[in-house]
Amino acid sequence: PGGVLTLGGYDEAHFVGNITWIPVSNRPYWQVDMNAAYLDGYQERFSGQIVLDTGTSLIGCPTPIAEIINTKIGATLNSYGYYSVDCKTVDSLPNLVFELGGAKFPLKASEYIMRAFDECYSTISGIDVKTRTGPVWVLGDAFIRHYYTIFDMDGARIGLAQALK
């Protein structure tokens, strides 16, 4: 449980499979090209830029996209600004898939829905961050906890692999 910080390299004991290396598209951020993001079984596919951010808890995307995705999973915006989901539906919800660097990085609903007490909330939140290259998504802890993430400063790239749980 939790995480680990390795400086000056990476530790193969914490992931399985191959590392997908994705070049950084906009410095000084850890921003990369996103080939697509989509819910399994739905037509809508979104593309653009993503920033991987260890200081963000949720998955942020432009507000209109957050509204589309949350509507598709049956989430409703509550008075606190979070999307609530019926906990009984989580096991039947589709995967949320990110295509980065030519590889697919799926999140099961149980990974993008957080439980707090007897409530369930979507981690997909509307944020309208713009950079010189346009609006971006922000993949925070809701994504990073499931994928071993390597921030390669010298190589100006990000590596992703399936994290061991």
Side-chain angles (χ1 to χ4, degrees):
V4 64
L5 174 65
T6 304
L7 300 174
Y10 56 89
D11 187 345
E12 294 179 1
H14 295 289
F15 65 90
V16 295
N18 296 321
I19 299 169
T20 298
W21 292 102
I22 309 153
V24 170
S25 60
N26 184 19
R27 287 186 181 210
Y29 307 107
W30 290 103
Q31 183 174 322
V32 299
D33 293 331
M34 176 177 67
N35 307 106
Y38 55 90
L39 288 169
D40 274 344
Y42 289 92
Q43 294 284 340
E44 291 95 351
R45 293 174 66 88
F46 308 100
S47 61
Q49 296 284 301
I50 281 186
V51 172
L52 284 96
D53 182 13
T54 60
T56 299
S57 299
L58 305 174
I59 296 171
C61 61
T63 299
I65 295 172
E67 291 171 358
I68 291 168
I69 293 172
N70 281 301
T71 297
K72 297 286 185 198
I73 64 171
T76 55
L77 191 61
N78 66 28
S79 60
Y80 298 107
Y82 293 104
Y83 284 94
S84 299
V85 179
D86 182 344
C87 293
K88 292 180 225 151
T89 67
V90 173
D91 291 339
S92 64
L93 295 176
N95 290 343
L96 175 61
V97 181
F98 293 94
E99 290 184 13
L100 305 165
K104 293 180 181 179
F105 299 93
L107 293 177
K108 294 181 262 185
S110 61
E111 296 171 334
Y112 67 81
I113 302 294
M114 65 181 178
R115 292 180 186 262
F117 306 104
D118 293 331
E119 303 283 330
C120 289
Y121 301 97
S122 169
T123 62
I124 302 151
S125 179
I127 59 163
D128 297 306
V129 175
K130 294 187 170 106
T131 66
R132 66 177 185 249
T133 58
V136 297
W137 291 52
V138 178
L139 295 184
D141 184 55
F143 176 85
I144 292 173
R145 75 174 58 187
H146 304 289
Y147 291 98
Y148 188 85
T149 307
I150 304 164
F151 296 96
D152 180 359
M153 184 84 82
D154 290 338
R157 62 188 183 162
I158 292 175
L160 294 172
Q162 181 67 53
L164 286 175
K165 298 189 182 191

